[in-house]
Amino acid sequence: MKKRLLVMLLCAAACLTSCTQDMSLAYSKAVDLFASGNYADAAKAFERLDDYANSPTYAAYSRGLVLYEQGQYAAAEPYFEKTQTFMYGADRYRYCRAHGLMDAGQFADASIQFSSLGDFEDATLWRSYCSARDAEDRKDYESALYGYEEAGLLADAEDRLYNLRGQIYNRAIELKAQGNYGDAGVLFTMLGDYLSSAEQAVECKAFHLDSQYALAEEYENTGDLQNAYDLFNGLSGYRDAADRAEALAPQLGIELENRDKYFN
């Protein structure tokens, strides 16, 4: 009876040892699949191992990577949320979160999230893109132009840059036609060498200075000396504006040596 019990115990031990060896071998093969980048098969292999070793974490991370590489960030996010302490889980989770914010139209928050990732993958480019989208929504066209230029060929950044330049150029032309040379010049300057922007900017500056000088003269002729003085003084360096301001100063009780203090 004792001999029979001993045999049974030895058989059980042998089975347990064999099972452990099989699990260890299967685990090693699953790790090899993961290391080779075969994440879909690795996930299946780890899932068959249940709670053996680090299988649950590997399985979740592998599932996340499959979706991540397909650009399905919303679907991948829960897997990386569970594996934030494993490999690049935390960075991938934040990357997926940033894409989720962007897809929801929350570009300012998405830009901040991408920025927190530093140079992780293409996060820097996405930060610029989201920053540009946010700036465009706020009609901060200068920042939007810069952001799209920084984003380069990412997503539709190039098309958005092209369209935005066209919109700004057309608006600048309208403002110039309306005689608003100051604002038109700002927009043309912002566009750099786009179409005739550089030449238009120079022309608008000249027209703007002429119009401001003419307005200053009008103020002086109608007795509005304060506004006349302010405009002439602001045009210092253009024609005889500085002399005209100096001539008006005594009539306003402004001592020339205190002019800098007056305008600071």
Side-chain angles (χ1 to χ4, degrees), residues 84-130:
Q84 292 188 62
T85 59
F86 183 72
M87 299 186 116
Y88 295 101
D91 287 337
R92 296 192 191 282
Y93 171 65
R94 284 188 290 153
Y95 186 91
C96 291
R97 284 285 300 145
H99 271 280
L101 291 167
M102 181 177 66
D103 292 342
Q106 299 178 42
F107 299 111
D109 291 338
S111 178
I112 293 172
Q113 186 83 325
F114 279 122
S115 181
S116 72
L117 287 164
D119 60 357
F120 178 75
E121 295 196 2
D122 56 358
T124 300
L125 294 177
W126 281 114
R127 176 195 58 76
S128 295
Y129 177 83
C130 289

Side-chain angles (χ1 to χ4, degrees), residues 185-207:
V186 169
L187 294 181
F188 282 128
T189 300
M190 187 187 303
L191 290 170
D193 60 358
Y194 178 77
L195 297 180
S196 65
S197 295
E199 295 83 357
Q200 296 274 13
V202 172
E203 191 172 290
C204 282
K205 181 178 180 180
F207 286 157

Side-chain angles (χ1 to χ4, degrees), residues 12 49 51 80 82 90 115 130-131 133 146 154 158 172 230 234 237 243 254:
L49 291 168
D51 292 331
F80 294 125
K82 293 188 295 186
S115 181
C130 289
S131 178
R133 291 292 301 270
Y146 177 77
L154 188 72
E158 189 174 31
D230 291 344
D243 293 336
I254 300 172

Side-chain angles (χ1 to χ4, degrees), residues 14-168:
C15 288
L16 182 60
T17 299
S18 177
C19 182
T20 301
Q21 290 176 342
D22 289 344
M23 294 284 277
S24 178
L25 181 59
Y27 185 82
S28 295
K29 289 181 178 180
V31 170
D32 288 341
L33 287 170
F34 180 88
S36 68
N38 191 346
Y39 303 122
D41 287 343
K44 294 175 184 176
F46 283 120
E47 287 166 352
R48 286 195 292 268
L49 291 168
D50 295 323
D51 292 331
Y52 181 79
N54 206 22
S55 293
T57 301
Y58 263 116
Y61 195 80
S62 297
R63 287 291 180 195
L65 284 175
V66 171
L67 296 165
Y68 186 89
E69 291 187 340
Q70 294 172 351
Q72 299 185 49
Y73 303 115
E77 183 180 329
Y79 292 105
F80 294 125
E81 185 176 13
K82 293 188 295 186
T83 57
Q84 292 188 62
T85 59
F86 183 72
M87 299 186 116
Y88 295 101
D91 287 337
R92 296 192 191 282
Y93 171 65
R94 284 188 290 153
Y95 186 91
C96 291
R97 284 285 300 145
H99 271 280
L101 291 167
M102 181 177 66
D103 292 342
Q106 299 178 42
F107 299 111
D109 291 338
S111 178
I112 293 172
Q113 186 83 325
F114 279 122
S115 181
S116 72
L117 287 164
D119 60 357
F120 178 75
E121 295 196 2
D122 56 358
T124 300
L125 294 177
W126 281 114
R127 176 195 58 76
S128 295
Y129 177 83
C130 289
S131 178
R133 291 292 301 270
D134 174 59
E136 185 175 2
D137 286 346
R138 293 184 288 102
K139 302 191 183 308
D140 178 358
Y141 298 127
E142 185 171 11
S143 296
L145 287 172
Y146 177 77
Y148 287 136
E149 288 172 354
E150 288 289 296
L153 300 177
L154 188 72
D156 61 346
E158 189 174 31
D159 291 337
R160 285 186 171 277
L161 176 61
Y162 178 82
N163 291 332
L164 184 59
R165 280 174 171 164
Q167 292 176 46
I168 295 173

